[in-house]
Amino acid sequence: FRRFLQNKIAILSLAIPGVIVAIVIAASILVPLINALGIASSGGTEAFSMTSGLVFAAVIAATDPIAVTALFKSVGAPKRLAVLVEGESLLNDGTSAVFFTLIVGFASGESTTIAVASLGFLRVVGVGIFIGAVIGYAVSFIIHRVDDPMIEITLTTIAAYGSFVAAETFHYSGVMATVTAGMLSGNYAARTGMSASTRVAVASFWEYLAFALNSLVFLLIGFEVRLEALLHAWAPILAAYVTVTLTRAVVTLLIASALHRTRE
C-alpha cells in the first residue's frame, strides 16, 4: 500500500484517463480500418459503427499483468515498474467495466450526455469503493480478534467475493469494491491483525488462487475459440491487435511525458 501511494498519480493517470483515452483512440482507428478491410456486420449490409468500436475498445482496454509481471521477475526489471503495472491493473478493470456499461447503455438507446456519463462513472466507482471499504474494514476488525490461519483465509475470501456481490447487487462497481476490500485486508489487517505464519499462509493461498483462476480463464477461452473461425477472421483480429498495442504504447508515452513535465 505504501508503494501504491508513492506512485498513486502515475497509477491513477494510467488507470482512469489513460484507459478512457485508449478506448477513444482505439475505436477511432479501428472503425475506419475495419470498414476499409470490408468487414461488414453479421447482416452483411451495415458498416462497423463507432458505437461497436467503442464497445470493443472498452472490453479490450484493460491490461492483464500476469504474463508481464512474470517476465519482469525473470529479467530483473525495476520494482517500481512492476508496481505501476500491477497497481494500474487493480483499477483499470473498473474503469473499462464502467465505461463498457455506459457505452452499451448508449448503444441500447438510453439518452445520455458527457456530464451524465461522468457522474454515472463517479457514482458507480465511488459507491463501489465505499462498499469495499466497509466490508474490508469489517473483515479486518474480525481478523484482529481471531488467530487461526484457516479462519483468516476464509475471511479474506469473504471480503473479496462478498464485496463484489454486494456492490453488483446494488448496481455499483464490484471490481472496485473487491480491489478496495482486498487492499484493506492485505495491508491493514495483514500488518496489524495477522501473525507472521498467517501472513505467509494467506499470501500463498492468494498467489495460488490468482494463478489457478487466471489459467482457468485462458483455458476456457481456448475451449470456446474455434480455429476455423479464428483463421477466417485473421484480418480484423490482426488489425485489432496492432491497433490496441500501438494505442496502449502511445497513451503510456503521452502520460509519462505529461507527468515528467509536471514534475519539472
Side-chain angles (χ1 to χ4, degrees):
F1 192 63
R2 178 179 54 81
R3 292 198 299 269
F4 181 89
L5 287 179
Q6 288 173 346
N7 297 278
K8 60 183 181 296
I9 296 177
I11 290 172
L12 290 172
S13 298
L14 289 167
I16 300 177
V19 170
I20 296 170
V21 172
I23 291 172
V24 174
I25 294 177
S28 300
I29 297 173
L30 269 178
V31 170
L33 183 59
I34 295 296
N35 288 324
L37 290 173
I39 307 299
S41 66
S42 57
T45 56
E46 296 181 8
F48 189 64
S49 67
M50 188 63 182
T51 302
S52 299
L54 288 170
V55 170
F56 171 78
V59 170
I60 209 73
T63 55
D64 182 84
I66 301 299
V68 176
T69 52
L71 181 62
F72 284 171
K73 291 178 182 178
S74 65
V75 301
K79 289 184 178 180
R80 183 170 182 264
L81 192 58
V83 171
L84 290 174
V85 172
E86 291 181 326
E88 186 210 345
S89 72
L90 290 175
L91 305 178
N92 63 14
D93 284 335
T95 304
S96 61
V98 170
F99 270 84
F100 172 78
T101 303
L102 294 173
I103 293 166
V104 168
F106 175 78
S108 303
E110 297 178 8
S111 59
T112 185
T113 63
I114 294 177
V116 171
S118 300
L119 288 174
F121 171 78
L122 293 174
R123 177 177 58 84
V124 170
V125 171
V127 178
I129 291 173
F130 174 76
I131 291 173
V134 171
I135 293 177
Y137 181 77
V139 166
S140 300
F141 181 81
I142 299 172
I143 287 175
H144 277 76
R145 281 153 180 77
V146 297
D147 187 19
D148 187 303
M150 294 299 102
I151 293 176
E152 292 174 77
I153 289 173
T154 304
L155 287 169
T156 59
T157 307
I158 292 171
Y161 189 65
S163 58
F164 183 88
V165 171
E168 289 291 323
T169 299
F170 296 103
H171 307 292
Y172 298 111
S173 177
V175 174
M176 297 308 300
T178 301
V179 167
T180 305
M183 292 188 74
L184 278 171
S185 300
N187 289 273
Y188 172 63
R191 284 201 313 267
T192 61
M194 295 181 185
S195 63
S197 59
T198 299
R199 283 197 296 271
V200 171
V202 171
S204 300
F205 168 78
W206 281 105
E207 185 175 1
Y208 166 73
L209 193 62
F211 166 78
L213 293 180
N214 274 282
S215 300
L216 183 61
V217 166
F218 286 105
L219 184 63
L220 291 174
I221 291 173
F223 284 150
E224 289 295 320
V225 172
R226 292 182 295 116
L227 186 59
E228 298 84 3
L230 203 65
L231 293 175
H232 179 72
W234 70 269
I237 290 173
L238 181 61
Y241 169 74
V242 172
T243 299
V244 170
T245 303
L246 291 177
T247 298
R248 182 68 186 177
V250 169
V251 169
T252 303
L253 181 62
L254 289 174
I255 290 178
S257 300
L259 292 175
H260 181 68
R261 290 196 195 96
T262 302
R263 288 176 182 173
E264 289 179 346

